[in-house]
Amino acid sequence: MGHDRSKHILLIGLRASGKSTLARLLGARLGMDHLDLDARTPSVAGRATVAEMIERDGLDAFREAEATALAQVLDEPAAVISLGGGSPTAPGAAQRIVDAEAPIVYLRAQPETLVERLEADDNAHRPSLSGKPITEEIVSQFRTRDPLYRDLAWHVINVDELELDEVLREVEESIGERSG
């Protein structure tokens, strides 16, 4: 049986794990909308970008706005939603994620993979949240968030050695969609 199109699909994982790209591809494949929570959150606070929000309002205000944005998107018609890396740590967010009763897929990448991807991309819109060098920050975030992500996830996909199409296929299989 395939995925119930009336339910969201939630993609979680650290930044650079591929959530936004996958949400777009999976949404297209399944005929569902896709939403990027990081794109939605700043508008909740009247800011243009995540970086501007964090710089002007601070991380706590950003997490509050993220929790609000999450509640809003979960009330909208079903979509493939890529959560921000820290979304599950926002106040009340983990419970909201569980209460959504939607498949939660954790795109799990090792810190080395994430650092490589971040260094390969232009990531001006992804500020360091701790002020530490990005490598240290990613290792620290992986250590603290990996257990939370694993706890929330219905499915964990280790993406380090996989090409994008392989990750997409694994996500489809994990939610009960078989691609021909």
Side-chain angles (χ1 to χ4, degrees):
M1 191 174 113
H3 171 72
D4 175 356
R5 299 291 194 285
S6 69
K7 291 213 182 282
H8 295 294
I9 298 169
L10 306 178
L11 303 180
I12 61 174
L14 286 172
R15 66 169 115 174
S17 59
K19 302 179 303 287
S20 299
T21 303
L22 236 101
R24 192 172 58 248
L25 294 172
L26 189 61
R29 189 77 68 94
L30 299 180
M32 294 174 71
D33 284 339
H34 66 90
L35 295 169
D36 187 334
L37 199 64
D38 276 347
R40 178 73 67 95
T41 299
S43 64
V44 168
R47 300 285 186 213
T49 64
V50 169
E52 181 193 2
M53 244 194 107
I54 291 172
E55 192 177 299
R56 294 189 176 198
D57 308 323
L59 190 56
D60 289 347
F62 171 70
R63 292 285 178 236
E64 289 288 344
E66 197 170 29
T68 302
L70 177 64
Q72 287 175 0
V73 300
L74 290 175
D75 279 344
E76 293 173 8
V80 182
I81 304 171
S82 61
L83 275 60
S87 298
T89 68
Q95 192 56 53
R96 275 201 184 94
I97 291 166
V98 170
D99 290 347
E101 295 182 1
I104 303 161
V105 180
Y106 171 21
L107 302 179
R108 186 173 191 262
Q110 293 301 312
E112 305 75 55
T113 302
L114 299 171
V115 168
E116 251 173 52
R117 290 179 181 184
L118 286 166
E119 287 173 347
D121 282 347
D122 164 26
N123 282 287
H125 65 292
R126 294 180 172 175
S128 166
L129 301 179
S130 61
K132 293 179 188 160
I134 197 69
T135 308
E136 273 180 54
E137 183 172 276
I138 292 287
V139 168
S140 158
Q141 285 178 344
F142 182 82
R143 237 182 255 130
T144 57
R145 293 179 185 169
D146 185 57
L148 171 62
Y149 293 158
R150 290 166 78 90
D151 196 40
L152 288 171
W154 293 20
H155 311 283
V156 177
I157 297 174
N158 291 299
V159 300
D160 297 288
E161 304 298 322
L162 300 177
E163 295 297 322
L164 191 56
D165 60 330
E166 295 172 308
V167 177
L168 183 60
R169 190 166 45 250
E170 285 211 25
V171 172
E172 287 177 314
E173 285 176 8
S174 73
I175 61 168
E177 288 296 327
R178 296 288 185 266
S179 48

Short mmCIF file of all heavy atoms in Angstrom, two decimals, residues 3-11 26 30 32-35 40 69-83 96-97 99-105 154 175:
data_model
loop_
_atom_site.label_atom_id
_atom_site.label_comp_id
_atom_site.label_asym_id
_atom_site.label_seq_id
_atom_site.Cartn_x
_atom_site.Cartn_y
_atom_site.Cartn_z
N HIS A 3 1.74 5.56 0.22
CA HIS A 3 1.59 6.62 1.22
C HIS A 3 0.21 7.26 1.11
O HIS A 3 -0.28 7.54 0.02
CB HIS A 3 2.68 7.68 1.03
CG HIS A 3 2.47 8.89 1.87
ND1 HIS A 3 2.67 8.85 3.23
CD2 HIS A 3 2.07 10.14 1.57
CE1 HIS A 3 2.38 10.06 3.71
NE2 HIS A 3 2.02 10.85 2.73
N ASP A 4 -0.42 7.48 2.25
CA ASP A 4 -1.71 8.17 2.33
C ASP A 4 -1.48 9.64 2.00
O ASP A 4 -0.86 10.37 2.76
CB ASP A 4 -2.26 8.00 3.75
CG ASP A 4 -3.55 8.78 3.98
OD1 ASP A 4 -3.98 9.52 3.07
OD2 ASP A 4 -4.11 8.66 5.08
N ARG A 5 -1.97 10.10 0.83
CA ARG A 5 -1.70 11.46 0.36
C ARG A 5 -2.33 12.54 1.25
O ARG A 5 -2.12 13.71 1.04
CB ARG A 5 -2.19 11.65 -1.08
CG ARG A 5 -1.54 10.75 -2.10
CD ARG A 5 -0.07 11.11 -2.32
NE ARG A 5 0.49 10.51 -3.50
CZ ARG A 5 0.82 9.24 -3.63
NH1 ARG A 5 0.62 8.40 -2.66
NH2 ARG A 5 1.37 8.80 -4.74
N SER A 6 -3.18 12.12 2.21
CA SER A 6 -3.77 13.13 3.10
C SER A 6 -2.84 13.41 4.28
O SER A 6 -3.13 14.24 5.12
CB SER A 6 -5.13 12.66 3.62
OG SER A 6 -4.95 11.56 4.51
N LYS A 7 -1.71 12.70 4.33
CA LYS A 7 -0.76 12.90 5.43
C LYS A 7 0.53 13.54 4.93
O LYS A 7 1.01 13.23 3.85
CB LYS A 7 -0.42 11.57 6.09
CG LYS A 7 -1.56 10.95 6.86
CD LYS A 7 -1.02 10.19 8.05
CE LYS A 7 -2.10 9.51 8.85
NZ LYS A 7 -2.83 10.39 9.73
N HIS A 8 1.08 14.40 5.76
CA HIS A 8 2.38 14.99 5.47
C HIS A 8 3.45 13.90 5.46
O HIS A 8 3.26 12.82 6.02
CB HIS A 8 2.76 16.00 6.57
CG HIS A 8 1.88 17.19 6.64
ND1 HIS A 8 1.82 18.14 5.64
CD2 HIS A 8 1.03 17.61 7.60
CE1 HIS A 8 0.96 19.09 5.98
NE2 HIS A 8 0.45 18.79 7.17
N ILE A 9 4.59 14.23 4.86
CA ILE A 9 5.80 13.44 5.01
C ILE A 9 6.84 14.42 5.55
O ILE A 9 7.03 15.50 4.98
CB ILE A 9 6.28 12.87 3.65
CG1 ILE A 9 5.22 11.92 3.09
CG2 ILE A 9 7.62 12.15 3.82
CD1 ILE A 9 5.47 11.51 1.64
N LEU A 10 7.46 14.07 6.66
CA LEU A 10 8.41 14.99 7.31
C LEU A 10 9.83 14.47 7.12
O LEU A 10 10.12 13.31 7.42
CB LEU A 10 8.08 15.10 8.80
CG LEU A 10 6.65 15.50 9.14
CD1 LEU A 10 6.44 15.53 10.65
CD2 LEU A 10 6.30 16.85 8.53
N LEU A 11 10.71 15.34 6.64
CA LEU A 11 12.12 15.00 6.48
C LEU A 11 12.92 15.76 7.52
O LEU A 11 12.82 16.99 7.62
CB LEU A 11 12.61 15.38 5.08
CG LEU A 11 11.86 14.76 3.89
CD1 LEU A 11 12.45 15.24 2.58
CD2 LEU A 11 11.88 13.24 3.97
N LEU A 26 10.73 14.49 -4.06
CA LEU A 26 9.71 13.55 -3.58
C LEU A 26 8.32 14.11 -3.81
O LEU A 26 7.42 13.39 -4.24
CB LEU A 26 9.94 13.24 -2.09
CG LEU A 26 9.10 12.13 -1.48
CD1 LEU A 26 9.38 10.80 -2.18
CD2 LEU A 26 9.38 12.02 0.01
N LEU A 30 5.51 12.29 -6.04
CA LEU A 30 4.25 11.81 -5.43
C LEU A 30 3.05 12.70 -5.77
O LEU A 30 1.94 12.42 -5.34
CB LEU A 30 4.40 11.75 -3.90
CG LEU A 30 5.47 10.80 -3.36
CD1 LEU A 30 5.50 10.86 -1.84
CD2 LEU A 30 5.24 9.38 -3.85
N MET A 32 2.66 15.77 -4.68
CA MET A 32 2.34 16.52 -3.46
C MET A 32 3.14 17.82 -3.46
O MET A 32 4.20 17.90 -4.07
CB MET A 32 2.73 15.70 -2.21
CG MET A 32 1.93 14.44 -2.01
SD MET A 32 2.57 13.45 -0.61
CE MET A 32 2.08 14.45 0.81
N ASP A 33 2.61 18.83 -2.76
CA ASP A 33 3.39 20.05 -2.57
C ASP A 33 4.59 19.74 -1.69
O ASP A 33 4.60 18.75 -0.96
CB ASP A 33 2.54 21.13 -1.88
CG ASP A 33 1.54 21.76 -2.84
OD1 ASP A 33 1.76 21.68 -4.06
OD2 ASP A 33 0.55 22.33 -2.35
N HIS A 34 5.59 20.62 -1.75
CA HIS A 34 6.72 20.49 -0.83
C HIS A 34 6.93 21.83 -0.15
O HIS A 34 6.70 22.88 -0.76
CB HIS A 34 7.99 20.02 -1.55
CG HIS A 34 8.51 21.01 -2.54
ND1 HIS A 34 9.41 21.99 -2.19
CD2 HIS A 34 8.22 21.20 -3.84
CE1 HIS A 34 9.66 22.73 -3.26
NE2 HIS A 34 8.95 22.27 -4.28
N LEU A 35 7.30 21.78 1.10
CA LEU A 35 7.53 23.00 1.88
C LEU A 35 8.87 22.89 2.58
O LEU A 35 9.23 21.83 3.09
CB LEU A 35 6.46 23.15 2.97
CG LEU A 35 5.01 23.38 2.53
CD1 LEU A 35 4.09 23.23 3.72
CD2 LEU A 35 4.88 24.75 1.91
N ARG A 40 9.92 29.21 5.38
CA ARG A 40 8.68 29.74 5.96
C ARG A 40 8.93 30.51 7.27
O ARG A 40 8.28 31.51 7.54
CB ARG A 40 7.73 28.56 6.22
CG ARG A 40 6.42 28.93 6.87
CD ARG A 40 5.46 29.63 5.92
NE ARG A 40 5.00 28.77 4.86
CZ ARG A 40 3.86 28.09 4.90
NH1 ARG A 40 3.06 28.21 5.92
NH2 ARG A 40 3.53 27.33 3.89
N ALA A 69 5.87 28.38 12.86
CA ALA A 69 5.81 28.01 11.45
C ALA A 69 5.48 26.52 11.29
O ALA A 69 4.69 26.14 10.43
CB ALA A 69 7.14 28.34 10.76
N LEU A 70 6.07 25.69 12.15
CA LEU A 70 5.81 24.25 12.09
C LEU A 70 4.32 23.97 12.36
O LEU A 70 3.68 23.21 11.63
CB LEU A 70 6.67 23.50 13.11
CG LEU A 70 6.43 21.99 13.19
CD1 LEU A 70 6.80 21.30 11.87
CD2 LEU A 70 7.23 21.39 14.35
N ALA A 71 3.77 24.61 13.39
CA ALA A 71 2.35 24.42 13.70
C ALA A 71 1.49 24.82 12.51
O ALA A 71 0.52 24.14 12.17
CB ALA A 71 1.98 25.22 14.95
N GLN A 72 1.86 25.93 11.86
CA GLN A 72 1.10 26.41 10.70
C GLN A 72 1.13 25.40 9.55
O GLN A 72 0.09 25.04 9.00
CB GLN A 72 1.65 27.75 10.20
CG GLN A 72 1.34 28.92 11.09
CD GLN A 72 2.03 30.20 10.61
OE1 GLN A 72 2.74 30.20 9.61
NE2 GLN A 72 1.83 31.29 11.34
N VAL A 73 2.33 24.93 9.19
CA VAL A 73 2.41 24.03 8.03
C VAL A 73 1.76 22.69 8.31
O VAL A 73 1.21 22.07 7.40
CB VAL A 73 3.86 23.84 7.48
CG1 VAL A 73 4.45 25.17 7.03
CG2 VAL A 73 4.76 23.14 8.47
N LEU A 74 1.78 22.25 9.55
CA LEU A 74 1.15 20.97 9.88
C LEU A 74 -0.37 21.07 9.79
O LEU A 74 -1.05 20.05 9.66
CB LEU A 74 1.58 20.48 11.26
CG LEU A 74 3.04 20.01 11.35
CD1 LEU A 74 3.40 19.64 12.79
CD2 LEU A 74 3.32 18.85 10.41
N ASP A 75 -0.91 22.30 9.86
CA ASP A 75 -2.35 22.51 9.73
C ASP A 75 -2.79 22.69 8.28
O ASP A 75 -3.97 22.78 8.00
CB ASP A 75 -2.79 23.75 10.54
CG ASP A 75 -2.97 23.42 12.01
OD1 ASP A 75 -3.05 22.22 12.35
OD2 ASP A 75 -3.02 24.36 12.83
N GLU A 76 -1.83 22.80 7.37
CA GLU A 76 -2.13 23.01 5.96
C GLU A 76 -2.31 21.66 5.26
O GLU A 76 -2.01 20.62 5.83
CB GLU A 76 -0.99 23.81 5.32
CG GLU A 76 -0.92 25.24 5.85
CD GLU A 76 0.30 26.00 5.35
OE1 GLU A 76 1.02 25.49 4.47
OE2 GLU A 76 0.54 27.10 5.87
N PRO A 77 -2.80 21.69 4.01
CA PRO A 77 -2.95 20.43 3.26
C PRO A 77 -1.63 19.66 3.20
O PRO A 77 -0.55 20.25 3.24
CB PRO A 77 -3.38 20.89 1.87
CG PRO A 77 -4.04 22.22 2.10
CD PRO A 77 -3.28 22.85 3.25
N ALA A 78 -1.74 18.36 3.09
CA ALA A 78 -0.58 17.47 3.14
C ALA A 78 0.50 17.88 2.14
O ALA A 78 0.21 18.22 1.00
CB ALA A 78 -1.00 16.03 2.90
N ALA A 79 1.75 17.83 2.60
CA ALA A 79 2.90 18.18 1.77
C ALA A 79 4.10 17.39 2.26
O ALA A 79 4.09 16.82 3.36
CB ALA A 79 3.18 19.68 1.87
N VAL A 80 5.15 17.39 1.45
CA VAL A 80 6.44 16.87 1.89
C VAL A 80 7.14 18.07 2.53
O VAL A 80 7.36 19.09 1.87
CB VAL A 80 7.27 16.33 0.71
CG1 VAL A 80 8.59 15.76 1.22
CG2 VAL A 80 6.48 15.26 -0.06
N ILE A 81 7.45 17.97 3.81
CA ILE A 81 8.00 19.10 4.55
C ILE A 81 9.43 18.80 4.98
O ILE A 81 9.68 17.80 5.66
CB ILE A 81 7.15 19.40 5.81
CG1 ILE A 81 5.69 19.63 5.42
CG2 ILE A 81 7.73 20.60 6.56
CD1 ILE A 81 4.75 19.72 6.61
N SER A 82 10.36 19.67 4.56
CA SER A 82 11.73 19.55 5.06
C SER A 82 11.84 20.49 6.25
O SER A 82 11.61 21.70 6.14
CB SER A 82 12.75 19.89 3.98
OG SER A 82 12.60 21.22 3.53
N LEU A 83 12.14 19.91 7.40
CA LEU A 83 12.30 20.70 8.62
C LEU A 83 13.71 21.27 8.68
O LEU A 83 14.63 20.70 8.11
CB LEU A 83 12.04 19.83 9.85
CG LEU A 83 10.58 19.69 10.28
CD1 LEU A 83 9.74 19.08 9.19
CD2 LEU A 83 10.47 18.89 11.55
N ARG A 96 4.81 18.16 18.55
CA ARG A 96 3.98 18.43 17.36
C ARG A 96 4.30 17.47 16.23
O ARG A 96 3.43 17.03 15.51
CB ARG A 96 4.23 19.86 16.87
CG ARG A 96 3.40 20.87 17.58
CD ARG A 96 3.29 22.15 16.75
NE ARG A 96 2.56 23.12 17.53
CZ ARG A 96 3.15 24.03 18.32
NH1 ARG A 96 4.45 24.08 18.40
NH2 ARG A 96 2.42 24.86 19.01
N ILE A 97 5.59 17.20 16.06
CA ILE A 97 6.04 16.30 15.00
C ILE A 97 5.44 14.91 15.22
O ILE A 97 4.91 14.29 14.31
CB ILE A 97 7.59 16.26 14.94
CG1 ILE A 97 8.13 17.61 14.44
CG2 ILE A 97 8.09 15.11 14.08
CD1 ILE A 97 9.62 17.82 14.64
N ASP A 99 2.78 14.18 17.06
CA ASP A 99 1.32 14.27 16.98
C ASP A 99 0.80 14.33 15.54
O ASP A 99 -0.37 14.03 15.30
CB ASP A 99 0.81 15.50 17.75
CG ASP A 99 0.97 15.35 19.27
OD1 ASP A 99 1.25 14.21 19.73
OD2 ASP A 99 0.86 16.35 19.98
N ALA A 100 1.66 14.72 14.61
CA ALA A 100 1.24 14.82 13.21
C ALA A 100 0.91 13.44 12.63
O ALA A 100 0.23 13.34 11.61
CB ALA A 100 2.32 15.49 12.37
N GLU A 101 1.41 12.39 13.28
CA GLU A 101 1.18 11.01 12.82
C GLU A 101 1.50 10.85 11.34
O GLU A 101 0.78 10.19 10.60
CB GLU A 101 -0.26 10.57 13.13
CG GLU A 101 -0.53 10.49 14.61
CD GLU A 101 -1.92 9.99 14.95
OE1 GLU A 101 -2.69 9.69 14.01
OE2 GLU A 101 -2.24 9.90 16.14
N ALA A 102 2.56 11.50 10.93
CA ALA A 102 3.03 11.44 9.54
C ALA A 102 4.35 10.69 9.51
O ALA A 102 5.09 10.73 10.50
CB ALA A 102 3.22 12.86 9.01
N PRO A 103 4.66 10.03 8.39
CA PRO A 103 5.98 9.39 8.30
C PRO A 103 7.09 10.42 8.50
O PRO A 103 7.05 11.51 7.91
CB PRO A 103 6.01 8.84 6.87
CG PRO A 103 4.61 8.79 6.41
CD PRO A 103 3.87 9.86 7.18
N ILE A 104 8.03 10.07 9.35
CA ILE A 104 9.17 10.95 9.65
C ILE A 104 10.42 10.22 9.18
O ILE A 104 10.73 9.13 9.67
CB ILE A 104 9.27 11.24 11.16
CG1 ILE A 104 7.96 11.85 11.67
CG2 ILE A 104 10.47 12.14 11.46
CD1 ILE A 104 7.77 11.74 13.18
N VAL A 105 11.11 10.81 8.20
CA VAL A 105 12.30 10.18 7.64
C VAL A 105 13.52 11.01 8.03
O VAL A 105 13.59 12.21 7.75
CB VAL A 105 12.21 10.09 6.10
CG1 VAL A 105 13.45 9.42 5.53
CG2 VAL A 105 10.95 9.32 5.69
N TRP A 154 10.56 7.51 11.93
CA TRP A 154 9.96 6.22 11.59
C TRP A 154 10.97 5.42 10.78
O TRP A 154 10.99 4.21 10.81
CB TRP A 154 8.70 6.41 10.76
CG TRP A 154 7.55 7.05 11.46
CD1 TRP A 154 7.58 7.81 12.59
CD2 TRP A 154 6.18 7.00 11.06
NE1 TRP A 154 6.31 8.24 12.91
CE2 TRP A 154 5.43 7.76 11.98
CE3 TRP A 154 5.51 6.39 9.99
CZ2 TRP A 154 4.05 7.93 11.88
CZ3 TRP A 154 4.14 6.56 9.89
CH2 TRP A 154 3.42 7.31 10.83
N ILE A 175 8.43 4.82 2.88
CA ILE A 175 7.05 5.30 3.12
C ILE A 175 6.03 4.49 2.35
O ILE A 175 4.85 4.84 2.29
CB ILE A 175 6.90 6.80 2.80
CG1 ILE A 175 7.20 7.08 1.33
CG2 ILE A 175 7.76 7.64 3.73
CD1 ILE A 175 6.81 8.45 0.88
#
